[in-house]
Amino acid sequence: MKRLRRNPTDQSKHSDQQNDGAVARIAEIKCGSNPIKLMGVFVVCLMVTGLEDDFPTAVDVLTDKVLDGLLSSDFDKSSCLSRYQSVAYRKESAHKPSSHLISRLRSYEALHRRCGPYTQSYNKTVEKLISGQHTEISECNYVVWISFSGLGNRILTLASAFLYALLTNRVLLVDRGVDMADLFCEPFPKVSWLLPSDFPIANHFNNFDQKSPHSYGNMLKRNPVTQLSTLQFSYLHLVHDYDDQDKLFFCDQDQTSIQKVPWLIMKSDNYFIPSLFLIPSFEQELNNLFPEKETVFHFLGRYLFHPTNPVWGLISRYYQAYLAKADEKIGLQIRVFDTGTGPFQYVLDQILACSLKEKLLPEINQNEDVGSFPLNQKTKAVLMTSLNAGYFERVRDIYWEFPTVTGEVIGVYQPSHEEYQQTEKHVHNRKAWAEMYLLSLTDKLVTSSWSTFGYVAQGLGGLKPWILYKPENQTAPDPPCRRAMSMEPCFHAPPFYDCKRKTGVDTGALVPHVRHCEDMSWGLKLVDRENEMWTR
């Protein structure tokens, strides 16, 4: 499906509602309706919506609005415009969700409605949590995700927590932190996923860490596993500094014990889904949910993470103003971990070397007369994201000062340059989320090693990016980049432990679909079997 090329002028909410109504009326016309009447209504709709000849039909848009059944249709459209309008900005995904995934998502939504905040079942479990009263496992058990770390990390860990909840029939509740409600629409119909502010132990979240006496790992050190069944809650410390006891979370025997605890409070800065695929009791269900292993975050991300209306405004306005009319869109995501004030020449050299070597951008011709090319040349829009404006300025100037050997016209754009990461700042995180999403709308993508910002963009967009190798000794690597073997994010701090043999093991060599990452040799990521050769 081709993208809509909208007029940059913002349309009012009233106009959007009119357009939706016109499209809906077309879909409601039955096959036996008068064909002249049908054509007339369709023409009116085209006039209203401003569709061009190569745009998707109104019926296509309606079909895609629920992403092949991935999304529930039971939402108020105006409350979250991105949930329905985003299909007009994306190419149709080459991947389709399995029928089992769709069924499980609908079942989960029903469970969330029964057990979500302030339902009768939720209130009862909270009362027992406060009283410390022991109770047998019930239908309503919970995973509480603590808002922690940078925005890219939060998105990846929240997707991980949701999949864990899906696998264990728990209800996911989200600590709202400073801005979760400001950034993301509610993903489940008719009930919130946000943890109520009066949750009894919410005030202790900031004190939970690797040394917390409530952590699962520390409980194992003090007590036999069997005593966990008497607990009302346990804290799961899955942050990068977790120890060997904490990592036992990824063992089948420990999962059996953990399931007896009604409330699990989870903190993580890792995309830990690859290690869930190494837990035998989850294996069959995961295979049914995701026949294509590299689509896990692609589907979970598109299901869970929809920008709120203010953030969607940033995205849609920028896209329409700078990207919509380009024949091809290239994303360049630049994250520099070296200290010091950039821009660094070796980073710029690496960006250009990768872009030119992989033919993402054309060579320039310093001797060519600008006027020798016709006016209707192919256009490329290059969307650059970086905390520093220097790389954007240098690339922009190169393609402004010199023509390309192909005659292509290159426009280079950067939405913001915040200079440094400001995790707790609302406006900063709105811009960061908007830029991740904009990168996911590009046709081809270049990302930086180790960057969760890039992982989110590639997963949402269904893109296998070219990954810039991490520079060493302030020198541009040669080769400068490589193509990713899958669009899945990397688990940066996985356990290397054989739960059955109770010994160390290379967890990147146990099954064909869990391999070491391109950008972090000790990390793990999901791949499909046909991509196994990339890791050899």
Side-chain angles (χ1 to χ4, degrees):
M1 185 182 83
K2 297 183 180 179
R3 295 192 188 96
L4 285 170
R5 297 178 182 172
R6 295 180 178 273
N7 189 306
T9 304
D10 290 338
Q11 297 178 350
S12 67
K13 178 179 177 182
H14 178 67
S15 296
D16 287 337
Q17 291 172 340
Q18 285 183 327
N19 297 349
D20 286 342
V23 174
R25 284 191 293 275
I26 291 175
E28 291 171 357
I29 297 176
K30 298 181 180 179
C31 296
S33 298
N34 185 318
I36 298 176
K37 180 180 179 181
L38 173 60
M39 181 60 68
V41 174
F42 187 68
V43 169
V44 170
C45 180
L46 290 178
M47 295 174 62
V48 172
T49 58
L51 297 175
E52 296 177 0
D53 290 341
D54 60 343
F55 293 159
T57 67
V59 175
D60 288 337
V61 172
L62 277 179
T63 301
D64 288 345
K65 277 186 178 181
V66 292
L67 302 182
D68 297 296
L70 190 69
L71 306 182
S72 168
S73 58
D74 194 12
F75 281 102
D76 173 17
K77 294 180 182 180
S78 63
S79 65
C80 185
L81 298 175
S82 66
R83 197 191 319 274
Y84 295 97
Q85 294 182 2
S86 61
V87 295
Y89 294 77
R90 289 193 187 281
K91 287 182 176 178
E92 184 179 2
S93 176
H95 309 277
K96 305 299 180 185
S98 69
S99 59
H100 188 66
L101 175 60
I102 293 172
S103 174
R104 290 288 287 113
L105 291 175
R106 300 294 87 81
S107 296
Y108 174 83
E109 291 161 2
L111 176 66
H112 201 99
R113 283 195 294 271
R114 294 193 300 272
C115 303
Y118 299 120
T119 59
Q120 184 177 5
S121 297
Y122 170 85
N123 292 338
K124 286 183 178 179
T125 56
V126 168
E127 289 174 5
K128 292 174 181 178
L129 176 64
I130 295 173
S131 67
Q133 177 185 352
H134 172 62
T135 181
E136 295 296 327
I137 202 78
S138 66
E139 180 190 31
C140 296
N141 300 285
Y142 300 86
V143 176
V144 176
W145 173 88
I146 296 178
S147 183
F148 170 71
S149 194
L151 183 57
N153 288 341
R154 281 190 278 162
I155 291 173
L156 296 180
T157 61
L158 187 47
S160 303
F162 175 70
L163 181 56
Y164 179 70
L166 203 66
L167 292 169
T168 57
N169 293 312
R170 289 178 177 269
V171 174
L172 174 68
L173 296 179
V174 173
D175 167 32
R176 62 189 67 216
V178 296
D179 60 2
M180 292 299 293
D182 182 60
L183 299 174
F184 304 104
C185 298
E186 294 279 1
F188 313 132
K190 298 183 179 179
V191 65
S192 178
W193 70 339
L194 295 174
L195 183 73
S197 56
D198 59 358
F199 183 67
I201 58 176
N203 292 335
H204 299 285
F205 287 172
N206 290 336
N207 298 325
F208 286 160
D209 57 23
Q210 201 274 326
K211 298 180 181 180
S212 172
H214 297 288
S215 75
Y216 176 69
N218 284 322
M219 287 180 179
L220 288 182
K221 296 173 186 177
R222 297 192 311 269
N223 304 306
V225 174
T226 54
Q227 293 188 15
L228 288 172
S229 61
T230 65
L231 298 175
Q232 277 298 314
F233 83 93
S234 180
Y235 165 59
L236 302 175
H237 186 76
L238 302 180
V239 184
H240 66 274
D241 64 352
Y242 61 166
D243 65 14
D244 290 342
Q245 280 70 38
D246 295 316
K247 294 175 184 178
L248 294 176
F249 168 82
F250 295 104
C251 292
D252 243 341
Q253 178 182 347
D254 292 78
Q255 278 300 317
T256 300
S257 302
I258 289 171
Q259 291 315 307
K260 299 175 183 177
V261 183
W263 289 91
L264 298 177
I265 316 298
M266 179 184 292
K267 180 184 287 187
S268 179
D269 57 359
N270 276 296
Y271 180 74
F272 58 79
I273 285 177
S275 284
L276 296 181
F277 276 78
L278 300 178
I279 299 176
S281 61
F282 295 160
E283 182 177 7
Q284 187 57 57
E285 179 68 2
L286 286 169
N287 287 338
N288 294 338
L289 290 170
F290 304 103
E292 291 182 274
K293 302 299 184 293
E294 71 166 294
T295 62
V296 177
F297 182 73
H298 180 60
F299 288 135
L300 295 184
R302 288 189 172 196
Y303 174 74
L304 291 172
F305 304 114
H306 303 278
T308 55
N309 290 351
V311 180
W312 183 243
L314 295 176
I315 295 166
S316 58
R317 288 191 295 271
Y318 199 91
Y319 184 91
Q320 292 166 8
Y322 300 106
L323 306 178
K325 295 182 180 180
D327 295 304
E328 188 175 33
K329 301 159 189 65
I330 308 296
L332 290 178
Q333 183 264 329
I334 304 163
R335 177 66 191 275
V336 180
F337 291 95
D338 291 350
T339 58
T341 304
F344 302 106
Q345 184 62 43
Y346 64 90
V347 175
L348 178 65
D349 292 342
Q350 182 182 10
I351 295 167
L352 293 174
C354 176
S355 301
L356 296 174
K357 178 177 180 292
E358 302 298 337
K359 302 187 184 305
L360 302 173
L361 292 177
E363 300 272 1
I364 59 170
N365 190 337
Q366 300 186 38
N367 300 316
E368 187 67 53
D369 180 6
V370 176
S372 63
F373 293 107
L375 294 177
N376 59 343
Q377 291 299 299
K378 181 179 179 181
T379 60
K380 283 188 177 181
V382 181
L383 176 70
M384 297 184 68
T385 66
S386 174
L387 293 173
N388 190 298
Y391 305 107
F392 151 72
E393 292 170 350
R394 297 288 295 277
V395 174
R396 177 200 60 191
D397 289 350
I398 288 172
Y399 286 102
W400 179 32
E401 294 170 3
F402 302 103
T404 62
V405 295
T406 60
E408 293 172 293
V409 177
I410 310 299
V412 186
Y413 311 100
Q414 179 173 342
S416 71
H417 47 91
E418 299 284 284
E419 305 305 328
Y420 61 93
Q421 190 168 343
Q422 305 167 56
T423 301
E424 301 298 321
K425 187 176 178 182
H426 278 239
V427 175
H428 176 86
N429 283 333
R430 279 189 180 186
K431 292 179 180 178
W433 178 212
E435 291 183 10
M436 289 182 208
Y437 206 95
L438 284 165
L439 285 171
S440 79
L441 301 178
T442 59
D443 301 302
K444 297 176 182 177
L445 180 64
V446 178
T447 61
S448 297
S449 290
W450 300 17
S451 176
T452 56
F453 195 106
Y455 294 160
V456 171
Q458 71 193 44
L460 290 177
L463 302 167
K464 292 182 182 179
W466 284 264
I467 304 175
L468 297 168
Y469 286 108
K470 194 172 185 295
E472 301 290 343
N473 301 318
Q474 297 188 340
T475 303
D478 186 18
C481 61
R482 67 165 289 182
R483 189 76 183 271
M485 55 186 162
S486 83
M487 57 188 173
E488 272 289 296
C490 179
F491 182 5
H492 285 174
F496 293 95
Y497 185 71
D498 187 318
C499 297
K500 290 183 179 179
R501 298 180 180 179
K502 301 186 184 303
T503 185
V505 68
D506 181 0
T507 47
L510 297 178
V511 295
H513 50 276
V514 178
R515 290 292 181 235
H516 290 299
C517 307
E518 310 89 346
D519 56 335
M520 186 173 282
S521 60
W522 60 89
L524 297 180
K525 73 179 300 182
L526 293 166
V527 301
D528 283 310
R529 289 178 183 270
E530 60 267 25
N531 293 330
E532 184 181 355
M533 62 181 183
W534 285 85
T535 63
R536 299 300 187 189

